[in-house]
Structures are given as structure tokens and as C-alpha cells.
Amino acid sequence: MDRRVTKKNDDASGKERPTLKTLAFMTGLGVTTVSRALKDAPEIGAETRRRVQLVAKQIGYRPNRAGVRLRTGKTNVISLVLNTEHELMSFVSDIIYGVTEVIADTPYHLIVTPYSRSQDPLDPVRYLVETGSADGVIISRTQPNDPRARYMLEHGVPFATHGRTDMGLVHPYHDFDNYAFAGEAVRALAGKGRNRLALVTPPVGLTYFRYTVNGFADALSEVGASEVPFNTVSIDHTIEQIRMRTAQLMRRDDRPDGIISSAAAATLAVVAGIEDAGLKLGRDVDVVSKQSSEVLHLFRRELLVVNEDFRLAGSELARAVLGWIAGKEPGSLQSLSKPSEVLPYRG
């Protein structure tokens, strides 16, 4: 009954979904010409393309995805696969913003495919591939030997990874130079006279764990500082776990006088743990942290920060996937962003 009422109301309102025929009628062009103009076909004049696309925007024309798929075998969909339980602070919104900025002027649309801690990370990727739900896929939390990347390579699905793999297989990626981040953080702390340093690492199973740890170790040797092991937590632990274990670390006689944190959310807990131990940030210990938004100096001005641009990451990942779909070589669609300098509070 509800469906009949809805349909009646739609018919009564006179609202019908604009089609290619609607556009052809309104522009005085043929359906084929309109279709090619919407796709920016070079054989259609620039002025005609602009006029058709303007009218399409004004009347709210959207291609029928089912029809597109029947005609072309394509979905015009890019899927961003995210473990939303682990992605904190502004990561999700910034990645989505970056992707949508790039695909805004293309026929492609973004869908977010979430999965939970209890799921195998391969499950959502397998679903997308088996159902043909997307023309391209973006994944994060990349592992050195990532089964998702191998699976998509074997099935010929264009994709890009946020982070690198170490499988000897070529594919598009965008990554942040965590080796350089850790090295710059160590040198900044050494420059402040800190020489007993601890590291809050990424999760051990992800590729950037190795880059971060190696950058930390090499820079320690370079500046002559020593490591205070802090292996009981990673940035994947809960805020309360990080806070409690930081407090335990800072109550020891051999406590660090400098800490490097791989994520802003973890840094909030690190600072809380330092203060639980009765110590003062900037006097007893300095902390260098990555951040993706201007939040940490609002929390504590004494923090030293390094900026990581997740919007840039989203944009680069989208360009990489679209490039592979368009036929570019996967090896030419790889990018690495460098960390900013270590920044103190500047008011």
C-alpha cells in the first residue's frame, strides 16, 4: 500500500528523472552527441561540451548506473574500504574529502565500505570484486604482505593502497614518509637536549611500523641518544591503555625524557599519562607527535608536531585509481609525501 501511495505522489508531482533524451530535447542535439559531450569526448566541440554539461547540472541529470553497467560493464564507482574502529581523529573525513575533490568532475562516485575489528580485512574486498560493485578500490592499513592487494592483482581490479606493501608486486600507492618523520622527531628532541627517547609505534603488522622503527633507530645512532623501550602499547591500543602504561613508564627511575608518538589520538593519552605521573610537559619531558589537523597545540602548547596531510593522501589515492582505470602503468602511480618540519607552538 505504501508503495502505491508513493508512486501516485511521484506521478502527481510531475517529477521524472532527467534522461539523455531530456538533455537532447533541451539542447537541440542528438542523444549520441549529448552522451559523448557528457564524457568529454574530444570529437565534440568544447563549447558544445560546456553547454551540455551546464544544462545537465541545472536539471539534475545523473546517469542511470544500472544502464551504464549494462552498456559498458562499468559501475562508475570507487570504493574506499575502511576499518572505522581504528581510524581516529580526522582521518576518515579528510581521506573522503580528498577523494571526492578529485572525482567531483568525473563520472565516478565514492562509496565507503566499512568493516569491523571482528572481520577478515579481505572480506569486504572479496565482496566488491565478486559482485562487481566498483571499478576501483582504495584500501588502508596496508600490510607488508597484504592479501587484499594480491587478491585484487590476481583478479585484475584497479586499486591503490594507503601505505606500501613489500611483496615484490607493483601497484599504485600513496604513503607518508614515516622513516623521515621518526628521524626528524629524534633530531628535534636531541636538539632540545633530550637523549633518552621512547617511541609509541604504529601497529606491528602494518608496513609503516617498520619504516617508523627503522627511522627511529637510525636517528638514535646518528645523534648518540638511547632508546627507552616502550613495547607495551601501540597507537591501536585504547586511550585508557596508553594513558595507564605511559604513567607506569614515566614513574620509573630510568624514564624517557623524550617521546615520539605516531598518532595524535595516542598523544592525548600519552600527555595524560605524563601528567598522571606528576611530571610536566616541556620541563620534564618533550613529546613530538604526528597530527593531521591543527588540534594538538589547542590541547597543549608544549607539544611539538609534524603535520601529515590526509586530504592530500585521499587526492593522490583517487588519482592513482583513476589513472590505472584509464590504462596508465601502475608503477607510475606511486607517491610519497614528506613530513613537515617539527613545529613548536607559534601562537
Side-chain angles (χ1 to χ4, degrees):
M1 181 177 179
D2 289 341
R3 291 179 182 174
R4 288 196 294 272
V5 171
T6 300
K7 186 177 189 303
K8 182 178 179 180
N9 288 343
D10 288 345
D11 291 343
S13 69
K15 291 181 180 178
E16 294 183 4
R17 182 188 182 111
T19 66
L20 286 175
K21 289 183 179 180
T22 311
L23 272 173
F25 174 78
M26 295 184 72
T27 57
L29 300 169
V31 171
T32 301
T33 301
V34 166
S35 176
R36 290 176 178 170
L38 290 171
K39 297 173 184 174
D40 274 328
E43 65 268 21
I44 306 299
E47 182 56 38
T48 299
R49 295 201 304 269
R50 280 195 295 270
R51 180 161 62 94
V52 170
Q53 290 168 10
L54 176 61
V55 173
K57 185 175 182 180
Q58 289 173 336
I59 68 173
Y61 170 77
R62 294 288 184 273
N64 184 297
R65 289 192 195 174
V68 170
R69 187 169 179 179
L70 284 172
R71 291 192 306 273
T72 67
K74 297 176 67 176
T75 64
N76 285 348
V77 168
I78 303 297
S79 178
L80 173 61
V81 181
L82 291 175
N83 182 326
T84 53
E85 291 181 66
H86 288 301
E87 312 299 6
L88 300 173
M89 304 295 279
S90 64
F91 174 85
V92 173
S93 60
D94 282 349
I95 286 280
I96 290 173
Y97 185 96
V99 172
T100 53
E101 266 198 320
V102 169
I103 67 174
D105 295 325
T106 76
Y108 286 91
H109 299 266
L110 175 68
I111 62 170
V112 176
T113 305
Y115 67 99
S116 66
R117 185 193 304 264
S118 61
Q119 280 183 279
D120 181 344
L122 182 57
D123 287 347
V125 171
R126 186 183 289 114
Y127 170 83
L128 291 168
V129 173
E130 290 179 352
T131 60
S133 299
D135 297 330
V137 179
I138 297 170
I139 61 173
S140 65
R141 296 182 63 82
T142 306
Q143 304 168 36
N145 185 13
D146 201 302
R148 301 168 298 173
R150 189 179 299 277
Y151 178 83
M152 287 186 283
L153 281 168
E154 290 172 350
H155 287 78
V157 175
F159 70 94
T161 60
H162 185 215
R164 287 165 280 182
T165 61
D166 189 20
M167 303 186 295
L169 301 174
V170 178
H171 61 81
Y173 66 76
H174 176 77
D175 202 2
F176 180 77
D177 193 340
N178 287 284
Y179 180 92
F181 156 69
E184 289 299 318
V186 167
R187 285 185 282 273
L189 290 171
K192 293 177 71 67
R194 307 303 191 181
N195 58 18
R196 294 181 50 75
L197 309 184
L199 174 66
V200 183
T201 70
V204 68
L206 304 187
T207 311
Y208 80 109
F209 168 86
R210 183 187 66 192
Y211 288 113
T212 305
V213 168
N214 287 349
F216 179 69
D218 288 350
L220 287 179
S221 298
E222 174 190 322
V223 303
S226 60
E227 178 182 5
V228 178
F230 192 23
N231 303 322
T232 56
V233 293
S234 77
I235 62 173
D236 262 6
H237 282 77
T238 68
I239 297 296
E240 190 51 44
Q241 287 171 327
I242 298 171
R243 176 178 182 170
M244 177 184 67
R245 292 172 190 175
T246 300
Q248 291 170 348
L249 174 71
M250 299 308 293
R251 290 187 180 111
R252 288 167 28 185
D253 292 338
D254 60 345
R255 64 177 179 254
D257 57 10
I259 298 176
I260 298 168
S261 174
S262 298
T267 301
L268 304 181
V270 166
V271 172
I274 290 169
E275 294 174 353
D276 287 345
L279 302 175
K280 182 173 174 54
L281 187 66
R283 182 192 68 194
D284 303 306
V285 59
D286 281 301
V287 175
V288 178
S289 174
K290 281 200 291 185
Q291 67 171 8
S292 59
S293 60
E294 303 295 328
V295 64
L296 288 180
H297 282 153
L298 297 176
F299 173 62
R300 292 291 185 276
R301 294 181 179 183
E302 297 85 357
L303 287 166
L304 305 168
V305 301
V306 173
N307 292 317
E308 179 176 5
D309 191 340
F310 287 135
R311 289 190 179 187
L312 171 66
S315 297
E316 290 296 320
L317 290 165
R319 291 189 187 98
V321 170
L322 293 178
W324 197 355
I325 291 172
K328 293 183 179 178
E329 287 297 319
S332 70
L333 302 169
Q334 300 171 338
S335 57
L336 183 68
S337 63
K338 296 293 183 180
S340 72
E341 60 180 321
V342 179
L343 301 171
Y345 177 74
R346 291 175 176 169

PDB file of all heavy atoms in Angstrom, residues 12-25:
ATOM      1  N   ALA A  12       1.972  12.467  -9.423  1.00  0.00           N
ATOM      2  CA  ALA A  12       1.197  13.693  -9.292  1.00  0.00           C
ATOM      3  C   ALA A  12       2.091  14.925  -9.288  1.00  0.00           C
ATOM      4  O   ALA A  12       1.702  15.989  -9.752  1.00  0.00           O
ATOM      5  CB  ALA A  12       0.371  13.650  -8.003  1.00  0.00           C
ATOM      6  N   SER A  13       3.279  14.776  -8.749  1.00  0.00           N
ATOM      7  CA  SER A  13       4.179  15.922  -8.691  1.00  0.00           C
ATOM      8  C   SER A  13       4.778  16.249 -10.038  1.00  0.00           C
ATOM      9  O   SER A  13       5.330  17.325 -10.238  1.00  0.00           O
ATOM     10  CB  SER A  13       5.313  15.644  -7.692  1.00  0.00           C
ATOM     11  OG  SER A  13       6.157  14.633  -8.195  1.00  0.00           O
ATOM     12  N   GLY A  14       4.672  15.298 -10.956  1.00  0.00           N
ATOM     13  CA  GLY A  14       5.214  15.514 -12.287  1.00  0.00           C
ATOM     14  C   GLY A  14       6.712  15.404 -12.364  1.00  0.00           C
ATOM     15  O   GLY A  14       7.315  15.756 -13.368  1.00  0.00           O
ATOM     16  N   LYS A  15       7.356  14.935 -11.315  1.00  0.00           N
ATOM     17  CA  LYS A  15       8.809  14.837 -11.290  1.00  0.00           C
ATOM     18  C   LYS A  15       9.252  13.534 -11.932  1.00  0.00           C
ATOM     19  O   LYS A  15       8.884  12.462 -11.475  1.00  0.00           O
ATOM     20  CB  LYS A  15       9.324  14.919  -9.848  1.00  0.00           C
ATOM     21  CG  LYS A  15       9.140  16.288  -9.213  1.00  0.00           C
ATOM     22  CD  LYS A  15       9.702  16.305  -7.797  1.00  0.00           C
ATOM     23  CE  LYS A  15       9.518  17.672  -7.159  1.00  0.00           C
ATOM     24  NZ  LYS A  15      10.008  17.695  -5.763  1.00  0.00           N
ATOM     25  N   GLU A  16      10.014  13.639 -12.991  1.00  0.00           N
ATOM     26  CA  GLU A  16      10.578  12.466 -13.628  1.00  0.00           C
ATOM     27  C   GLU A  16      12.085  12.635 -13.685  1.00  0.00           C
ATOM     28  O   GLU A  16      12.592  13.748 -13.834  1.00  0.00           O
ATOM     29  CB  GLU A  16      10.018  12.292 -15.043  1.00  0.00           C
ATOM     30  CG  GLU A  16       8.530  11.978 -15.074  1.00  0.00           C
ATOM     31  CD  GLU A  16       8.039  11.743 -16.490  1.00  0.00           C
ATOM     32  OE1 GLU A  16       8.886  11.755 -17.405  1.00  0.00           O
ATOM     33  OE2 GLU A  16       6.829  11.561 -16.667  1.00  0.00           O
ATOM     34  N   ARG A  17      12.781  11.535 -13.587  1.00  0.00           N
ATOM     35  CA  ARG A  17      14.240  11.580 -13.632  1.00  0.00           C
ATOM     36  C   ARG A  17      14.702  12.038 -15.014  1.00  0.00           C
ATOM     37  O   ARG A  17      14.306  11.453 -16.027  1.00  0.00           O
ATOM     38  CB  ARG A  17      14.781  10.177 -13.336  1.00  0.00           C
ATOM     39  CG  ARG A  17      16.293  10.096 -13.305  1.00  0.00           C
ATOM     40  CD  ARG A  17      16.716   8.640 -13.196  1.00  0.00           C
ATOM     41  NE  ARG A  17      18.149   8.531 -13.124  1.00  0.00           N
ATOM     42  CZ  ARG A  17      18.823   8.143 -12.054  1.00  0.00           C
ATOM     43  NH1 ARG A  17      18.169   7.823 -10.955  1.00  0.00           N
ATOM     44  NH2 ARG A  17      20.128   8.066 -12.066  1.00  0.00           N
ATOM     45  N   PRO A  18      15.517  13.108 -15.099  1.00  0.00           N
ATOM     46  CA  PRO A  18      16.015  13.553 -16.406  1.00  0.00           C
ATOM     47  C   PRO A  18      16.828  12.456 -17.075  1.00  0.00           C
ATOM     48  O   PRO A  18      17.607  11.748 -16.413  1.00  0.00           O
ATOM     49  CB  PRO A  18      16.895  14.760 -16.075  1.00  0.00           C
ATOM     50  CG  PRO A  18      16.463  15.203 -14.719  1.00  0.00           C
ATOM     51  CD  PRO A  18      16.014  13.957 -14.009  1.00  0.00           C
ATOM     52  N   THR A  19      16.649  12.303 -18.367  1.00  0.00           N
ATOM     53  CA  THR A  19      17.365  11.285 -19.133  1.00  0.00           C
ATOM     54  C   THR A  19      18.189  11.950 -20.225  1.00  0.00           C
ATOM     55  O   THR A  19      18.128  13.173 -20.421  1.00  0.00           O
ATOM     56  CB  THR A  19      16.383  10.296 -19.766  1.00  0.00           C
ATOM     57  OG1 THR A  19      15.589  11.011 -20.745  1.00  0.00           O
ATOM     58  CG2 THR A  19      15.463   9.683 -18.707  1.00  0.00           C
ATOM     59  N   LEU A  20      18.925  11.123 -20.969  1.00  0.00           N
ATOM     60  CA  LEU A  20      19.664  11.649 -22.111  1.00  0.00           C
ATOM     61  C   LEU A  20      18.716  12.279 -23.129  1.00  0.00           C
ATOM     62  O   LEU A  20      19.038  13.293 -23.764  1.00  0.00           O
ATOM     63  CB  LEU A  20      20.482  10.535 -22.763  1.00  0.00           C
ATOM     64  CG  LEU A  20      21.742  10.075 -22.023  1.00  0.00           C
ATOM     65  CD1 LEU A  20      22.363   8.887 -22.730  1.00  0.00           C
ATOM     66  CD2 LEU A  20      22.760  11.218 -21.927  1.00  0.00           C
ATOM     67  N   LYS A  21      17.525  11.690 -23.282  1.00  0.00           N
ATOM     68  CA  LYS A  21      16.538  12.253 -24.213  1.00  0.00           C
ATOM     69  C   LYS A  21      16.081  13.634 -23.743  1.00  0.00           C
ATOM     70  O   LYS A  21      15.866  14.538 -24.557  1.00  0.00           O
ATOM     71  CB  LYS A  21      15.344  11.312 -24.338  1.00  0.00           C
ATOM     72  CG  LYS A  21      15.653  10.023 -25.101  1.00  0.00           C
ATOM     73  CD  LYS A  21      14.404   9.169 -25.248  1.00  0.00           C
ATOM     74  CE  LYS A  21      14.725   7.899 -26.038  1.00  0.00           C
ATOM     75  NZ  LYS A  21      13.526   7.031 -26.195  1.00  0.00           N
ATOM     76  N   THR A  22      15.945  13.807 -22.409  1.00  0.00           N
ATOM     77  CA  THR A  22      15.592  15.121 -21.872  1.00  0.00           C
ATOM     78  C   THR A  22      16.660  16.141 -22.242  1.00  0.00           C
ATOM     79  O   THR A  22      16.345  17.257 -22.702  1.00  0.00           O
ATOM     80  CB  THR A  22      15.470  15.057 -20.337  1.00  0.00           C
ATOM     81  OG1 THR A  22      14.663  13.957 -19.954  1.00  0.00           O
ATOM     82  CG2 THR A  22      14.887  16.352 -19.787  1.00  0.00           C
ATOM     83  N   LEU A  23      17.912  15.776 -22.052  1.00  0.00           N
ATOM     84  CA  LEU A  23      19.020  16.672 -22.382  1.00  0.00           C
ATOM     85  C   LEU A  23      19.067  16.970 -23.877  1.00  0.00           C
ATOM     86  O   LEU A  23      19.310  18.111 -24.294  1.00  0.00           O
ATOM     87  CB  LEU A  23      20.346  16.043 -21.942  1.00  0.00           C
ATOM     88  CG  LEU A  23      20.809  16.315 -20.509  1.00  0.00           C
ATOM     89  CD1 LEU A  23      22.049  15.487 -20.203  1.00  0.00           C
ATOM     90  CD2 LEU A  23      21.098  17.782 -20.306  1.00  0.00           C
ATOM     91  N   ALA A  24      18.846  15.943 -24.689  1.00  0.00           N
ATOM     92  CA  ALA A  24      18.864  16.141 -26.138  1.00  0.00           C
ATOM     93  C   ALA A  24      17.775  17.119 -26.565  1.00  0.00           C
ATOM     94  O   ALA A  24      17.993  18.014 -27.396  1.00  0.00           O
ATOM     95  CB  ALA A  24      18.678  14.790 -26.839  1.00  0.00           C
ATOM     96  N   PHE A  25      16.577  16.972 -25.984  1.00  0.00           N
ATOM     97  CA  PHE A  25      15.467  17.870 -26.310  1.00  0.00           C
ATOM     98  C   PHE A  25      15.798  19.306 -25.902  1.00  0.00           C
ATOM     99  O   PHE A  25      15.552  20.261 -26.649  1.00  0.00           O
ATOM    100  CB  PHE A  25      14.197  17.393 -25.604  1.00  0.00           C
ATOM    101  CG  PHE A  25      13.026  18.330 -25.759  1.00  0.00           C
ATOM    102  CD1 PHE A  25      12.293  18.364 -26.933  1.00  0.00           C
ATOM    103  CD2 PHE A  25      12.672  19.202 -24.729  1.00  0.00           C
ATOM    104  CE1 PHE A  25      11.218  19.237 -27.083  1.00  0.00           C
ATOM    105  CE2 PHE A  25      11.612  20.080 -24.867  1.00  0.00           C
ATOM    106  CZ  PHE A  25      10.877  20.096 -26.053  1.00  0.00           C
TER     107      PHE A  25
END
